[in-house]
Amino acid sequence: KDISVRKRLNVTVDGDAPPPFEKFEGMTLDEPIMRALTEKNYEVPTPIQSQAIPVALEGKDILGCAETGSGKTCAFGLPLIQYVLDAPPRRSGDGPLSIVLAPTRELAQQIQVELCAFAQCCKGLRVAIVVGGAAMGDQRGELRSGVDVVVATPGRFNDHLEQRNTALNRAGYIVLDEADRMLDMGFEPQIRIIMRNVPANHQTLLFSATMPDEIETLASEYLNCPVRVKVGQVSTPTANVTQSLVRLNDEMQKPESLLELVALEFSEAEAAG
């Protein structure tokens, strides 16, 4: 039965994984989370959520491969909130129970918004965002007052760690979202510093839209017997992306040339159905 459900969802699994759930009911999520799902009109889980949430709730590491827009945030976010609810209450000045690392400020903000939407149903749960382009002082004050979850870009979060504005001694649920992009952007040294300083007994969820050798290496170093969950045929950086180089003699030609390329791509996509 599990195999047929996974086939229908186009999900492949490698490792000791519980069966996928095609409904949120039965996933052993606490009542506040279930209430939030109802309020946000989440009716059925997406394929990555159907399989990743049960795995994460069992405390297992995950190496997840799914494209942007597949529902990854909810896939790691619901077990994250459940993890916080199950933990001892936060005290003033405590470091985060969970850290979510993302490659860009924009993605971090999107993750924060979604987590906060669910956190509102969980009294007292605090989510902080730590990204570049925002005042260090404001972030410092929030971190030092104590938070449950930090959503951050690796560089800025590492800056706060160096300044001792927060600590990693409670961090037991770590998420690396769009890890391939983080490596492309040169964040590997900061990721390694953070991962070396979290407690030995922690859970790590690594999500990536592609699975290049660098991601496999990172996973082999920092994930403990991960369950591999893949949605669709996403596997290599070039599977769904075509890169082109267009040389222009005049800088002012860029906007017009870009519009022409987008129009051409759109026409070709429509012709291909």
Side-chain angles (χ1 to χ4, degrees):
K1 183 180 177 180
D2 296 350
I3 295 175
S4 64
V5 172
R6 287 170 180 152
K7 187 175 181 179
R8 185 169 63 254
L9 295 173
N10 200 17
V11 171
T12 56
V13 173
D14 182 11
D16 183 16
F21 282 78
E22 295 187 274
K23 295 183 179 179
F24 289 108
E25 294 81 5
M27 286 188 179
T28 67
L29 294 164
D30 277 7
E31 190 273 336
I33 301 175
M34 295 301 298
R35 187 171 69 250
L37 286 167
T38 300
E39 292 177 0
K40 306 301 177 187
N41 295 317
Y42 280 73
E43 296 180 356
V44 294
T46 66
I48 187 66
Q49 293 163 8
S50 295
Q51 185 62 78
I53 291 175
V55 174
L57 289 172
E58 288 193 355
K60 296 177 179 179
D61 287 3
I62 294 177
L63 178 56
C65 191
E67 293 179 312
T68 301
S70 60
K72 292 195 283 19
T73 301
C74 190
F76 65 71
L78 297 186
L80 181 159
I81 294 173
Q82 184 66 57
Y83 179 86
V84 174
L85 291 176
D86 292 340
R90 180 190 68 251
R91 297 172 300 179
S92 178
D94 272 349
L97 286 162
S98 176
I99 300 163
V100 181
L101 297 179
T104 66
R105 177 176 60 184
E106 292 75 19
L107 179 58
Q109 290 169 336
Q110 292 172 23
I111 294 170
Q112 182 211 22
V113 168
E114 191 156 351
L115 290 182
C116 285
F118 287 100
Q120 289 175 359
C121 293
C122 307
K123 188 177 179 181
L125 195 151
R126 297 185 61 188
V127 180
I129 184 166
V130 175
V131 295
M136 283 281 289
D138 293 342
Q139 295 173 358
R140 181 185 303 114
E142 188 171 15
L143 290 172
R144 288 185 173 180
S145 67
V147 296
D148 298 300
V149 182
V150 170
V151 182
T153 48
R156 176 55 66 93
F157 188 57
N158 199 50
D159 291 341
H160 282 286
L161 290 175
E162 290 178 351
Q163 295 182 18
R164 300 182 183 275
N165 294 328
T166 190
L168 298 177
N169 60 299
R170 292 205 313 154
Y173 189 100
I174 314 300
V175 179
L176 307 178
D177 192 23
E178 298 203 5
D180 48 352
R181 290 182 63 195
M182 286 197 283
L183 296 190
D184 287 343
M185 295 171 70
F187 283 130
E188 185 173 355
Q190 291 90 345
I191 292 172
R192 290 184 177 278
I193 290 172
I194 294 166
M195 295 302 295
R196 282 200 300 265
N197 286 281
V198 297
N201 185 24
H202 69 272
Q203 180 182 6
T204 304
L205 291 78
L206 187 157
F207 288 92
S208 181
T210 61
M211 206 57 61
D213 292 341
E214 294 83 359
I215 293 295
E216 294 282 0
T217 299
L218 195 69
S220 68
E221 292 184 37
Y222 295 113
L223 272 64
N224 179 31
C225 300
V227 175
R228 293 171 177 259
V229 180
K230 185 171 73 170
V231 177
Q233 299 302 314
V234 183
S235 58
T236 63
T238 57
N240 299 307
V241 178
T242 300
Q243 297 184 356
S244 302
L245 174 65
V246 178
R247 297 186 181 276
L248 300 174
N249 295 323
D250 186 352
E251 182 84 9
M252 300 300 294
Q253 292 179 323
K254 282 186 176 181
E256 184 179 353
S257 179
L258 177 60
L259 289 174
E260 291 176 354
L261 287 171
V262 171
L264 178 61
E265 288 288 336
F266 181 77
S267 297
E268 291 179 350
E270 283 215 318

